[in-house]
Amino acid sequence: MPTNELLLRGSDLSFSRGGQLLLDKVEIAIHRGEIITVIGPNGAGKTTLVRILLGLLKPSQGRVVSESGLKIGYVPQRLQMDPVLPMSVERFLKTAGRFSQQEMIRALQEVGADRVLDCPIYQVSGGELQRIMLARSILRKPDLLILDEPTQGVDLGGQAELYQLISQLRDRYHCGVLMVSHDLHLVMAASDSVLCLNQHVCCSGRPEAISQHPEYLKLIGDSVGPSLAVYSHEHDHSHDIHGNIHTLDESKEEGHG
Amino acid sequence: MDDFIWRALLAGLVVAMVAGPLGTFVVWRRMAYFGDSLSHSALLGIALGILTGVNTTLSLLLVCLGIAVLVVWMESRQQLSHDTLLGIFAHSSLSLGLVALSLIQGLRIDLMAYLFGDILAVTTTELYWIMAGGAAVLMALLMIWRPLLALTVNEDLAQVEGVRVDLMRLLFMLLMALVVAVSIKLVGVLLITSLLIIPAAVARQFARSPEQMALLAALAGGLAVVGGLFVSMQWDTPTGPSIVVVASLLFFLVNLGRASNSAS
């Protein structure tokens, strides 16, 4: 249920490093109640865009304006928890602020991970860790959730569930959601709008429209026909036994324009 | 027992109480080599203090902080890796300190005391300084514990959630420089890092939470100080190295115990 309440807007965002242009005049606006997904090939600048919107990176050009007092819940691409730091899931949640045990259990229940409350955080699986990160975010009662590839290291069935969960959390907390994904087909059901990025914004709009958009089809490769594109899973990576993703060939997907 | 032993014991326990909790962060943030760079540069600070007539503790602190800032700055502009840079800094500042000390005319100092510590020679005034410095570090660490832990988990996440990451990093380095200044009398510039990381490594085997690990590290450090002093008195061995030897023994015993437990 997207509303008109503007949470965060990035205007004319460009970013270059070492003479290389990574982002070119990107426009993006996120409203309360809306789920926006940024998709694009590897090296398209998705994470750079997210880092700029979070204020972790200064754009070379353009600016980011946010609603005053905006509280952001951030789920980084891949959180590495080192076993050298002894920390239970409960203690980990507390690094986000002071919460009662009840609040924490309720948050974990909402994401379906309440049984790991006492487990060491460095022992939980990739999918569980992402759920715990979501629980940690909602404990802070955010206005905006920003998720960078939230399903990395999660198997396919788990990915669909996770997207469904994100959509449920949006409904329950009535926050805005910005997420990054490399796979349009999985996020289609869960997104209100999609922004297709390859340094610049190739196209944006409702997911059904994007999946047929010529710019999008050109970007994901001409080898896949339009009818097939909706159902195919772009195998630009493989999964190892733990579900970790290994990129096979980053140069395969070439940018254009 | 003689007074000097009580002073040594007290000074050692204070340092252990501070170095333990701070050392857990050194271990969590993988900064052992950074600790070496800081402590080795302390000798240069002392030499500069003697040369310029400034209080040696103050010049030591300034040089340690200068090195810390220089390392951070170099890292952002260099293609060399973290450990290479730190290695260069650690050894060049140590050598520079030794060279500077040798150049000071007519100076007769006990170099061994600076390199390996001389805890039995702690004076009452020095003891007060150690206690004051230790209390200051411990209080500061308590105050920044929560944000420091948050950024240890993930710096980006901490920054998005409002932690002033750069300020915390700087404060942490300042605390490390203070601990180096406080513990130099105890174990000397060459062995200070061991007081930071060995007790923390011992504590990791038992700890279930970050706070537990910090407390257990303080305890393990205290045990090493008591044991080291005892060994040193009993067999007339150098005290600083004896403390480190006892700490290492604790570490190996704990790990052996763990290994045999999990094997059975």
Side-chain angles (χ1 to χ4, degrees), chain A residues 51 54-56 72 74 76 79 81-87 91-92 94 96-98 122 133 136 140, chain B residues 27-30 145-146 149-150 152-157 159-162 204 207-211 213:
Chain A
R51 291 180 64 82
L54 285 166
L56 293 171
I72 295 177
Y74 172 45
L79 195 74
M81 293 304 296
D82 194 330
V84 79
L85 181 61
M87 196 176 249
R91 185 65 188 81
F92 173 73
K94 281 186 187 159
R98 285 174 215 276
Y122 47 86
M133 287 303 296
R136 189 179 180 283
R140 300 183 71 241
Chain B
V27 168
W28 293 334
R29 296 173 60 75
R30 301 170 184 271
W145 183 271
R146 177 184 278 273
L149 191 62
T152 299
V153 168
N154 187 289
E155 294 203 351
D156 285 349
L157 200 57
Q159 192 170 339
V160 169
E161 290 172 2
R204 177 61 190 98
R208 292 271 165 272
S209 73
E211 290 74 19
M213 184 159 154

Side-chain angles (χ1 to χ4, degrees), chain B:
Chain B
M1 268 200 288
D2 296 311
D3 272 359
F4 73 93
I5 297 197
W6 284 114
R7 282 199 299 270
L9 187 64
L10 208 54
L13 289 178
V14 168
V15 168
M17 229 164 69
V18 180
L22 199 75
T24 54
F25 278 103
V26 175
V27 168
W28 293 334
R29 296 173 60 75
R30 301 170 184 271
M31 289 172 78
Y33 223 159
F34 183 79
D36 265 349
S37 298
L38 275 192
S39 53
H40 289 187
S41 68
L43 200 65
L44 180 61
I46 290 169
L48 286 181
I50 295 173
L51 271 173
T52 54
V54 178
N55 177 299
T56 48
T57 307
L58 182 68
S59 63
L60 178 160
L61 275 178
L62 288 176
V63 168
C64 280
L65 278 179
I67 292 283
V69 173
L70 202 61
V71 168
V72 172
W73 181 72
M74 287 278 282
E75 262 175 12
S76 59
R77 331 176 22 104
Q78 271 283 342
Q79 274 151 12
L80 295 172
S81 72
H82 193 67
D83 61 333
T84 305
L85 262 183
L86 287 176
I88 292 172
F89 271 103
H91 297 125
S92 56
S93 60
L94 179 65
S95 306
L96 207 56
L98 288 167
V99 168
L101 278 178
S102 77
L103 286 179
I104 301 172
Q105 297 259 316
L107 179 73
R108 294 186 51 191
I109 60 158
D110 184 3
L111 192 59
M112 287 299 272
Y114 283 123
L115 291 180
F116 299 106
D118 192 4
I119 192 177
L120 295 179
V122 169
T123 65
T124 313
T125 324
E126 280 172 331
L127 179 60
Y128 288 147
W129 274 111
I130 290 174
M131 287 165 101
V137 172
L138 212 52
M139 261 174 14
L141 187 62
L142 267 177
M143 280 165 64
I144 64 168
W145 183 271
R146 177 184 278 273
L148 200 56
L149 191 62
L151 84 100
T152 299
V153 168
N154 187 289
E155 294 203 351
D156 285 349
L157 200 57
Q159 192 170 339
V160 169
E161 290 172 2
V163 173
R164 296 178 62 187
V165 171
D166 289 338
L167 178 70
M168 288 302 141
R169 273 218 205 101
L170 192 69
L171 280 175
F172 182 68
M173 282 183 217
L174 178 67
L175 293 185
M176 271 182 78
L178 271 167
V179 165
V180 168
V182 165
S183 19
I184 205 163
K185 194 81 189 178
L186 196 64
V187 288
V189 295
L190 290 183
L191 296 176
I192 285 174
T193 314
S194 61
L195 276 194
L196 290 167
I197 61 171
I198 300 177
V202 171
R204 177 61 190 98
Q205 293 292 343
F206 303 101
R208 292 271 165 272
S209 73
E211 290 74 19
Q212 253 180 31
M213 184 159 154
L215 288 176
L216 287 172
L219 188 71
L223 278 177
V225 165
V226 173
L229 269 174
F230 176 78
V231 166
S232 165
M233 273 161 29
Q234 203 70 10
W235 289 288
D236 196 25
T237 52
T239 319
S242 302
I243 292 173
V244 177
V245 166
V246 172
S248 313
L249 274 177
L250 273 179
F251 174 74
F252 287 114
L253 282 177
V254 161
N255 273 283
L256 272 180
R258 271 286 148 134
S260 60
N261 267 353
S262 54
S264 61

Side-chain angles (χ1 to χ4, degrees), chain A residues 24-45:
Chain A
D24 187 14
K25 299 192 181 73
V26 173
E27 301 279 338
I28 187 168
I30 308 145
H31 298 86
R32 186 177 290 280
E34 173 183 44
I35 299 184
I36 295 189
T37 305
V38 177
I39 57 163
N42 288 328

